[in-house]
Amino acid sequence: MAETIISLRGIKKHFSTKKGTVEALKGIDLDIKKGEIFGIIGLSGAGKSTLVRCINLLERPEEGQVVVNGTDLMKLSNEGLRQNRRSIGMIFQQFHLLMQRTALENVCFPLEIAKVPQAEARKRAEELLALVGLSDRLESYPSQLSGGQKQRVAIARALATSPQVLLCDEATSALDPNTTKEVLNLLKDINRNLGITVVIITHEMRVIQEICNRVAVLDGGVIAEVDTVEKVFRAPKSKMGRQLVFHESDENREALQGPIENSYRITFEGDMTNSPILGNMMLECQAAANILAANTRMIEGKVYGQMIIQLPEDAAKREQMLQYLKNMGLTVEEVAYV
Amino acid sequence: MFELVLQGFWESLYMTLISTVAAYLIGLPLGLILVATDADGVSPCKPVHTSLGIFINILRSIPFLLLMITVRPITKFTMGTTIGSPATIVPLVIAAAPFIARLVESSLKEVDRGVVEAAQSMGATPREIMLKVLFPEAKPSLLVGSAIAVTTILGYSASAGIVGGGGLGAIAINYGYYRNQTEYMLPMVAILVLMVQVFQEMGMRAVRIVDKRQ
């Protein structure tokens, strides 16, 4: 695929709090390719926000290398870093617009900083606000805009200096589902039409599912796994990945009373979700299977399903059933918990 | 009496306004420095922040009347005299500037940290963040602060009457207190009360016009 645009190596960052030192990032290696939409998902406290802030050095890691667009940001002077930040746009959960400036003036702000002549800046800001669909709200103040509109202004502002990368820190977490979808579609368009690499931090799986090409699962300051969204959704390799993909929350596990035996996760895709495989298996093998959990989801237009079933204790029957499933082309793996 | 009151009113008014302007010329930059050099500021510098903070606290802890007496040599040197309204401006500025620095500091600190972060992510310099983000975003709060400052300075100026200051306070003290002429005391107090009301109301109206958050 395309060349790497963001390369993180051995990123470590800790914070000192009253309760002691918190290691937010414990050595992160990550490569993000040019033109992709890359998701970073994790629970709150996993270090996602810190990680994305390390990409433009809003947080400076104690150790490690941050290379964006071929430049090692850690080695830059303050002025050099400021220049470089203009090619890395960023949007935030709470939008962070200037409340005393109109939408137009907000988009002009980064251009003022980049010393773009006023008339030119205004023209560009108008174009960008048209791009995000807010041509009719140029003179509105943020307080007069809805959440989705504010985030659109923030996106226009982040794009003002024609960045190569757009960092999104929980950009849709403060928005309702419909608005989230609109903003995600806008990000998708921007990625496709302007070729901007988008990095999305989120705790919502549906955001990843909706627009990302690849995803990194962050767990306790380390990357649990990185892969295409399709692969992570089909067969998450890490515990956190499974928890996020299959909603294996702690409560669910407790409800099923801890470890389970003779249980298997079967994952299937596409047309298979339409055929009664499990029913056929039970008829064929003359034994019952207990369905512990099941769900299906749509990723990039394809249907994926997963199911956790408990098979009989009789080893021969179990083997026969597993063989049947494998013959049907399903992925089967033994699981110790739901 | 009417002429006396009018004179007192003008003296109090110009003492207060000139002192406020002069005190802001000093206090505003001091407030900016306090915020900028704070640990989470745009250019943290602990020695500057701490020493400036202590300096401001010392000035603020001296009661105004004592400060006025203490700084008499400075007053004499700059104004040529230590009595009358123009001379009162000097201690008023010295007393009000650190107070204003703290008001400005608290206004600037109200600005959402995230907005500053956003500006940093765009490559803004500390100076640009101070002048283009913190200052304009804090404008409504700064105006509220200025209404507090001007009314406080008016109060200081009135109490300056007891040690040779001019204005309404001096008239109230000299006639109303020393000569026990209540008919002088009450109008002065009434005018002072009215002035505070007017300044405060003007400040709040200005805030409503300026603030774009509602």
Side-chain angles (χ1 to χ4, degrees), chain B residues 49-64:
Chain B
H49 184 78
T50 311
S51 49
L52 184 59
I54 292 173
F55 174 70
I56 286 171
N57 288 348
I58 291 171
L59 277 181
R60 289 206 55 207
S61 55
I62 305 172
F64 177 67

Side-chain angles (χ1 to χ4, degrees), chain B residues 92-152:
Chain B
L92 276 178
V93 172
I94 295 172
F99 173 58
I100 286 167
R102 287 293 184 205
L103 282 176
V104 169
E105 180 192 25
S106 111
S107 292
L108 295 180
K109 287 212 143 188
E110 278 171 32
V111 176
D112 182 6
R113 179 85 194 102
V115 182
V116 174
E117 196 182 37
Q120 282 172 329
S121 78
M122 294 170 212
T125 62
R127 195 185 141 86
E128 282 166 332
I129 290 172
M130 296 306 290
L131 298 180
K132 284 175 177 283
V133 178
L134 286 182
F135 205 65
E137 288 294 296
K139 204 156 54 178
S141 173
L142 285 167
L143 275 169
V144 174
S146 73
I148 298 173
V150 79
T151 50
T152 303

Side-chain angles (χ1 to χ4, degrees), chain B residues 162-184:
Chain B
I162 206 156
V163 283
L168 294 167
I171 299 168
I173 287 160
N174 292 336
Y175 291 81
Y177 180 59
Y178 293 133
R179 297 190 196 165
N180 210 13
Q181 289 174 296
T182 316
E183 68 270 27
Y184 278 89

Side-chain angles (χ1 to χ4, degrees), chain A residues 181-200:
Chain A
K181 203 148 190 160
E182 279 171 35
V183 168
L184 291 178
N185 284 336
L186 176 61
L187 291 174
K188 214 190 255 182
D189 289 346
I190 286 163
N191 167 260
R192 202 183 301 138
N193 302 335
L194 307 178
I196 294 173
T197 309
V198 179
V199 181
I200 291 185

Side-chain angles (χ1 to χ4, degrees), chain A residues 209-281:
Chain A
Q209 191 178 335
E210 195 83 35
I211 67 166
C212 293
N213 306 124
R214 289 200 305 145
V215 60
V217 177
L218 203 59
D219 184 12
V222 295
I223 289 181
E225 65 181 297
V226 188
D227 215 327
T228 60
V229 170
E230 195 183 315
K231 280 187 183 158
V232 171
F233 270 83
R234 195 163 35 181
K237 292 188 200 76
S238 64
K239 201 175 159 193
M240 182 53 66
R242 279 191 290 270
Q243 189 175 326
L244 288 162
V245 172
F246 300 131
H247 305 286
E248 289 173 353
S249 67
D250 291 338
E251 298 127 62
N252 278 340
R253 225 173 297 156
E254 268 171 37
L256 284 157
Q257 291 170 340
I260 45 175
E261 286 177 342
N262 305 327
S263 297
Y264 298 84
R265 168 177 287 122
I266 54 179
T267 41
F268 40 91
E269 61 184 276
D271 303 334
M272 286 178 195
T273 44
N274 297 327
S275 49
I277 294 173
L278 216 58
N280 289 341
M281 176 194 78

Side-chain angles (χ1 to χ4, degrees), chain A residues 53 99-100 112 115 143, chain B residues 117 128 132 137 211-212:
Chain A
R53 277 167 177 70
M99 298 304 283
Q100 306 294 344
E112 277 171 37
K115 307 281 184 288
S143 59
Chain B
E117 196 182 37
E128 282 166 332
K132 284 175 177 283
E137 288 294 296
D211 196 354
K212 304 300 182 192

